[in-house]
Amino acid sequence: MFLEPHFKGQRSGWIEVICGSMFSGKTEELIRRLKRAKIANQRVEIFKPKIDTRYDERKVVSHDENYILATPIAHSSELMNLTDGVSVVGVDEAQFFDEDLTEVVQNLALNGKRIIVAGLDMDFKGRPFGPIPQVLAVAEYITKVHAICSHCGNLATHSYRLSANADTVVLGEKDKYEPRCRTCFAMGNILDFNQKMKEELK
Ligand code: ZN
């Protein structure tokens, strides 16, 4: 379990990343960290990209209804103006933010803030997702959380898409995605490919 670093002397800012597949508990872990900071009377704010409209506009909701209020923003640069006097900044669904996020979170950390970035590390094709790889590179602390593969029970690292929509930004729940380990993810893709070929030959 992640424990906050202990600083001797003056407190400085830093970046944490919580990443993993869908259904791996990223948001729950983000909320756990933020709630503890709140209890310690630290000013906490959460932001999420405007694109994520699955749930209530102002909530970061995890799948177990354990929620915390969040502000939707259109561009990562808005973080600079909205975090005056805030000591802990949470960023949820960070994979949907623009590439400037990396620079923005570094500026905030330089200003002495603790930044906690949560997001999908890979898209449904298994490719690094949005600004997450860049933020991982500059972060002090990285936590990869994993789901359980719905086929074999091993640790799941990938988000397998059950629907055929080719658009990367499909926000959804269990009817559209399932967590899979690397092997079951690859097997699914091969079977899908074979199925597609069969249909085309008909
Ligand atoms: Zn598996």
Side-chain angles (χ1 to χ4, degrees):
M1 187 182 288
F2 180 83
L3 292 175
E4 287 71 10
H6 178 73
F7 286 104
K8 284 183 179 156
Q10 203 185 344
R11 210 191 102 136
S12 61
W14 70 88
I15 301 164
E16 298 163 32
V17 179
I18 303 161
C19 66
S21 68
M22 296 187 79
F23 314 109
S24 62
K26 296 180 295 297
T27 303
E28 286 88 344
E29 176 61 14
L30 174 68
I31 289 171
R32 184 188 74 84
R33 294 184 194 184
L34 293 170
K35 276 191 173 164
R36 289 164 69 248
K38 229 176 174 178
I39 289 164
N41 294 319
Q42 296 174 5
R43 210 178 132 199
V44 170
E45 289 285 343
I46 308 162
F47 300 90
K48 62 177 186 178
K50 254 188 182 142
I51 191 170
D52 183 19
T53 53
R54 264 180 300 180
Y55 306 107
D56 187 279
E57 272 284 287
R58 286 211 65 233
K59 285 177 193 169
V60 164
V61 188
S62 62
H63 305 290
D64 64 357
E65 291 292 303
N66 188 9
Y67 68 85
I68 201 158
L69 285 177
T71 308
I73 55 172
H75 195 270
S76 62
S77 57
E78 291 173 48
L79 286 170
M80 300 305 295
N81 300 324
L82 294 170
T83 52
D84 272 356
V86 177
S87 35
V88 187
V89 180
V91 181
D92 199 28
E93 300 286 356
Q95 74 277 359
F96 294 132
F97 271 111
D98 50 278
E99 291 295 330
D100 291 342
L101 183 68
T102 316
E103 210 186 317
V104 170
V105 293
Q106 291 193 89
N107 282 330
L108 294 175
L110 267 180
N111 290 337
K113 299 180 196 305
R114 174 186 177 192
I115 321 296
I116 312 172
V117 176
L120 288 165
D121 46 8
M122 287 180 270
D123 66 13
F124 76 101
K125 286 187 170 166
R127 300 170 303 196
F129 207 157
I132 298 288
Q134 315 300 325
V135 179
L136 281 170
V138 300
E140 273 90 344
Y141 306 100
I142 296 165
T143 305
K144 270 222 184 198
V145 283
H146 299 296
I148 308 284
C149 177
S150 49
H151 280 249
C152 72
N154 283 319
L155 276 187
T157 45
H158 290 64
S159 310
Y160 182 78
R161 177 176 283 179
L162 299 165
S163 54
N165 194 331
D167 184 2
T168 310
V169 187
V170 169
L171 302 165
E173 287 311 304
K174 271 191 176 142
D175 56 332
K176 286 180 183 155
Y177 293 93
E178 63 182 24
R180 290 198 181 185
C181 70
R182 185 183 294 281
T183 307
C184 295
F185 177 79
M187 285 302 288
N189 285 340
I190 293 167
L191 291 174
D192 285 351
F193 180 77
N194 289 345
Q195 186 63 34
K196 219 167 129 190
M197 285 294 118
K198 257 188 217 166
E199 278 165 19
E200 274 176 25
L201 287 171
K202 267 179 198 168

